Amino acid sequence: MQKTFVMIKPDAVQRNLIGEIIGRLEKKGLKLVAAKMMILSREMAEKHYAEHKGKSFFDDLVEFITSGPVMAMVWEGIEAVKVVRKLMGNTDPQEAAPGTFRGDYALFTGNNIVHGSDSPESASREISLFFLENELISYRKDLDTWVNG
Ligand code: IDP
Ligand code: MG
């Protein structure tokens, strides 16, 4: 079973899309194992997006992601990293397929409503940046048998 880090960005919180995004992840069959609403410090934002340091959009990105509350979460399931990236859609909402979060609810890259880890390695790094090990809940759902084999 794989874990991935998902963050509902400040634009989606402002637009009342928390429930929509969580609902879609739940209905897919993924399991929520940790969640925390928070406002990111500048330091935290820069750590989270360290791979983009030096890029032209980095300062705007940090400004945006620290501009209001986010919902930080860990979701678990078979191939959770890949599955969440598929559900999210392309980074550029204008290229994101209809039916994806970004395809349905966003218009431009600067405000693309959700973050999801891009690899299992990124997921581990991001999960440990946002959560202590004992904040990840291990529990069983009947649904596990049906959707996760
Ligand atoms: P991802 O969120 O789909 O993994 P990344 O390339 O990792 O995309 O970029 C991280 C975030 O940085 C994007 O989600 C978006 O918010 C922002 N970003 C990426 N490229 C651009 C850009 O060209 N202009 C403005 N913002 C960008
Ligand atoms: Mg990324």
Side-chain angles (χ1 to χ4, degrees), residues 36-42 44 65-71:
K36 195 186 285 185
M37 198 166 190
M38 58 199 293
I39 297 179
L40 300 196
S41 65
R42 208 173 175 83
M44 185 83 160
I65 210 70
T66 57
S67 68
V70 298
M71 189 76 172

Side-chain angles (χ1 to χ4, degrees), residues 8-20:
I8 301 177
K9 296 184 178 181
D11 52 341
V13 173
Q14 291 300 320
R15 292 172 54 208
N16 297 332
L17 291 172
I18 294 177
E20 181 68 24

Side-chain angles (χ1 to χ4, degrees), residues 11-67:
D11 52 341
V13 173
Q14 291 300 320
R15 292 172 54 208
N16 297 332
L17 291 172
I18 294 177
E20 181 68 24
I21 293 167
I22 289 181
R24 288 207 198 179
L25 293 167
E26 278 192 306
K27 280 176 258 184
K28 180 68 175 173
L30 294 162
K31 192 200 290 185
L32 183 61
V33 298
K36 195 186 285 185
M37 198 166 190
M38 58 199 293
I39 297 179
L40 300 196
S41 65
R42 208 173 175 83
E43 187 194 358
M44 185 83 160
E46 288 186 2
K47 268 193 198 156
H48 174 64
Y49 282 125
E51 63 172 308
H52 299 300
K53 204 164 179 130
K55 293 186 186 164
S56 58
F57 60 84
F58 184 74
D59 289 346
D60 288 344
L61 177 58
V62 169
E63 196 67 35
F64 163 64
I65 210 70
T66 57
S67 68

